[in-house]
Amino acid sequence: MAAADKSARAAGGATAGPAGGKVSARVPGRPPRPVVVSLMLSMALVALDSTIVSTAVPQIVGDLGGFSAFSWVFSGYLLAVTVTLPVYGKLNDTLGRKPVLLFGTSLFLVGSVLCASAWNMAALIAFRIVQGLGGGALQSTVQTLAADLYPLKDRPRIQARMTTVWASSALLGPALGGLLAAYAGWRWTFLVNVPLAGLALWLTARHLVEPVRSPGRRGPVDWAGALGVFACGGLLLFALVQGGVAWPWLSAPSLSLLGASAVLAAVVVRVERRAEEPILPGWVWRRRTIAAVNLALGALGLLMVAPMVFMPTYAQTVLGLGPVGAGLVMSLMTLSWPVSAAFCQHVYRRIGFRDTAALGVSMAAVILFSFTLLPHPARPWQPALVMLLLGAALGLFQLPLIVGVQSTVGWAERGTTTASVLFCRTVGQSVGAALLGAVANTTVAARLADAPLPGLPSRLEDVSRALAEPGALSPAATEHLRAAVAAAVDHIFLGATAAAVAALLILLLVAPRRFPVLPEQQ
């Protein structure tokens, strides 16, 4: 039987999938250029979406009102993307990548048109959730297809390209959003997605060809598990997003939401154990490699909150840079990340996936800690250098784990595996935003309470406004506030350092030294 399997692989034949069906075991070659373009467009859609809308906030609020609820334009989208990742991952393995990608692109396109036609803030938030339901399919399926279409030796190249597209779109988004909002109207920040999504949809439908699978591969879709995952994840993320903002962490709403999500999690585990084809199969956590990568990238999501969320605040509030200067400081990380990712293959081919990732996250821990040693006030080139080095370290950390874990599973399990990795990373970001945000608020509040100076703002919400208005405070009070914000960001980077150390320990203690790469992937 083993010899027959080897012969079938060598001949490009089919092997049995885990559910009894047959999937093509053909080693992937170089995919057609239109398919690659469609993947790049799909990645650009997801990356461009949030950043392009952020600069249109004044125009949207001025037209629709509802400033107090505007944060849910972003939170609702993120919530929908996150909780649907496991569902789309399983559907990728059950129904195939192409139908899921076509559905997700179509839903994203429809959501964009609906957002452009929103008549009030409630409608815009609802339509952003529709967009997020499509975005979850795009994010999960594009990463899975990258592993399907490229052999192991070429995957760093396509992953580096997608990282470059993500970084370029994130940098281009604010400028493009500002131009569209100023000269064409804020609705065009959503309508600009229509031609991109339409082209990606056409290229995918016309040029993407998947391996032939027998009907026996398709098991029943676990809709009960999908609904449970959606409800449980939704409640948990809603509690993390609103906790410490809309209500205190130890208040009745927070405790009720967290308790309800824990009860739903227990229900989901029970449902999934009985399901024939569970949305969240137990093997995702029983296999050491996948479990270790999930936990390590969850820690990555947490530590990424420090440079991505709080570095712009530090650059503008403490260093006194404008929005453009703050953006340039942060952009250095997005420039070095894809370069490091493109070259990391030369490292992991020598020392392996785990040790390469461990090297990258060790460097990241040192770099994150070095930020706390910067003088006050720092010169702009100093945090800029930290961001440049951090991007290089994280490129060396993330890509070997994604490429490595995708290479340990076959076609019929790759969608679920990829989605679990992305889901853990996104949940890590949500948890990190809640935890590190609480650290920042606590530090600034303590500095304000102990301040010997009169005239300082009494509420945390007024700190940024006071520093942004020249002459609002005395020079001594201004310097005290800047020092308070600098101390808060230092504590946040210490928390990020702890997350990097936790990721390193997970890799060393849980992950196998050599990933069990499948023979057809080598």
Side-chain angles (χ1 to χ4, degrees):
M1 178 63 72
D5 281 346
K6 290 180 180 179
S7 299
R9 291 191 186 103
T15 58
K22 294 183 178 181
V23 298
S24 170
R26 177 183 58 85
V27 176
R30 191 176 298 277
R33 187 179 298 272
V35 175
V36 179
V37 172
S38 71
L39 294 182
M40 298 297 103
L41 286 173
S42 300
M43 182 62 70
L45 283 170
V46 178
L48 194 65
D49 185 73
S50 294
T51 56
I52 197 174
V53 177
S54 62
T55 50
V57 171
Q59 289 80 8
I60 296 175
V61 172
D63 189 12
L64 301 181
F67 180 78
S68 61
F70 186 82
S71 63
W72 274 100
V73 171
F74 302 98
S75 299
Y77 176 86
L78 177 64
L79 182 70
V81 169
T82 304
V83 299
T84 55
L85 281 172
V87 178
Y88 285 126
K90 186 61 181 179
L91 292 178
N92 271 320
D93 292 338
T94 304
L95 305 178
R97 324 306 192 212
K98 185 172 182 177
V100 175
L101 185 57
L102 291 175
F103 173 79
T105 308
S106 302
L107 193 57
F108 190 90
L109 192 155
V110 170
S112 299
V113 174
L114 290 175
C115 287
S117 64
W119 55 89
N120 58 32
M121 188 59 67
L124 180 60
I125 293 171
F127 297 149
R128 282 284 286 173
I129 292 174
V130 174
Q131 241 189 336
L133 296 177
L138 292 176
Q139 192 167 331
S140 174
T141 310
V142 167
Q143 291 282 0
T144 305
L145 274 170
D148 286 346
L149 299 175
Y150 283 84
L152 179 57
K153 64 183 180 66
D154 290 333
R155 283 179 198 159
R157 184 181 307 147
I158 184 62
Q159 289 286 354
R161 286 181 183 176
M162 289 197 293
T163 304
T164 302
V165 169
W166 186 281
S168 302
S169 300
L171 292 175
L172 178 64
L176 181 59
L179 289 173
L180 290 174
Y183 297 104
W186 65 266
R187 298 181 189 275
W188 280 95
T189 60
F190 297 104
L191 290 176
V192 72
N193 294 329
V194 174
L196 298 178
L199 179 58
L201 193 64
W202 181 78
L203 290 173
T204 301
R206 183 176 177 83
H207 296 283
L208 178 59
V209 179
E210 289 195 275
V212 178
R213 299 175 297 121
S214 67
R217 171 66 189 89
R218 298 188 180 184
V221 178
D222 179 23
W223 294 115
L227 181 61
V229 169
F230 191 89
C232 177
L235 278 179
L236 176 61
L237 291 177
F238 183 76
L240 293 175
V241 168
Q242 293 294 86
V245 179
W247 46 68
W249 280 109
L250 296 180
S251 64
S254 281
L255 296 178
S256 299
L257 287 170
L258 292 173
S261 62
V263 171
L264 274 177
V267 173
V268 169
V269 170
R270 185 177 180 85
V271 170
E272 294 297 84
R273 284 180 175 177
R274 297 182 176 183
E276 182 179 344
E277 291 286 340
I279 292 292
L280 288 176
W283 55 260
V284 169
W285 293 104
R286 286 194 297 268
R287 298 182 191 178
R288 286 179 58 195
T289 305
I290 302 175
V293 172
N294 283 343
L295 293 173
L297 290 185
L300 171 65
L302 194 155
L303 71 87
M304 282 298 297
V305 173
M308 296 298 292
V309 176
F310 290 98
M311 179 57 78
T313 300
Y314 173 85
Q316 296 185 64
T317 303
V318 179
L319 302 183
L321 300 178
V324 175
L328 289 175
V329 170
M330 194 176 70
S331 69
L332 292 174
M333 183 180 72
T334 61
L335 294 178
S336 59
W337 191 318
V339 174
S340 173
F343 286 97
C344 75
Q345 59 178 314
H346 302 294
V347 182
Y348 70 62
R349 285 176 180 170
R350 290 179 177 270
I351 65 175
F353 292 117
R354 190 203 72 166
D355 290 348
T356 302
L359 175 63
V361 77
S362 300
M363 294 168 54
V366 173
I367 294 165
L368 288 165
F369 181 75
S370 70
F371 178 86
T372 66
L373 305 179
L374 296 181
H376 176 75
R379 296 182 179 180
W381 68 265
Q382 293 171 322
L385 179 61
V386 169
M387 296 296 282
L388 182 69
L389 296 175
L390 183 61
L394 294 179
L396 201 63
F397 168 50
Q398 176 181 263
L399 189 134
L401 293 181
I402 292 178
V403 172
V405 77
Q406 288 179 329
S407 303
T408 65
V409 294
W411 187 97
E413 296 176 338
R414 192 173 293 139
T416 300
T417 301
T418 304
S420 72
V421 168
L422 298 177
F423 177 75
C424 289
R425 188 180 65 185
T426 309
V427 171
Q429 290 176 338
S430 300
V431 173
L435 292 178
L436 298 182
V439 169
N441 290 340
T442 301
T443 302
V444 175
R447 293 298 180 99
L448 291 178
D450 298 337
L453 301 170
L456 289 171
S458 58
R459 300 187 308 165
L460 295 176
E461 294 82 359
D462 298 331
V463 171
S464 297
R465 187 182 304 112
L467 289 173
E469 296 177 0
L473 300 172
S474 66
T478 300
E479 178 57 29
H480 185 84
L481 273 188
R482 286 179 175 171
V485 174
V489 176
D490 282 347
H491 291 169
I492 288 165
F493 271 78
L494 281 176
T497 303
V501 172
L504 175 62
L505 293 176
I506 290 168
L507 291 176
L508 296 180
L509 300 178
V510 180
R513 183 164 187 178
R514 295 293 176 185
F515 282 19
V517 177
L518 296 183
E520 64 265 25
Q521 300 292 324
Q522 292 176 345

